[in-house]
Amino acid sequence: MNKQTFVDTEAETWFEFQPVPGTKLLPLAEPVPKGSIHRLKMIAGKEIPVH
């Protein structure tokens, strides 16, 4: 298994998460077995739809 590395959150760019308008994602670590680690930013009052 590869060693997990974390990104410098001050140096990385948030990207728009198109499936849920009004949200942005920032990848935090890679690789992650069977998943991912992200930070999510949402506008006030935003709700994530049932999925």
Side-chain angles (χ1 to χ4, degrees):
M1 184 169 146
N2 295 337
K3 182 179 178 184
Q4 186 175 6
T5 57
F6 290 86
V7 301
D8 177 2
T9 57
E10 298 298 319
E12 295 297 317
T13 303
W14 290 84
F15 65 92
E16 298 288 331
F17 185 55
Q18 298 299 323
V20 185
T23 62
K24 294 182 180 183
L25 285 178
L26 179 65
L28 295 178
E30 54 182 74
V32 181
K34 299 181 182 179
S36 60
I37 301 175
H38 290 81
R39 188 171 181 189
L40 177 68
K41 187 186 294 187
M42 301 179 356
I43 59 175
K46 183 67 183 172
E47 294 181 12
I48 297 176
V50 175
H51 57 286

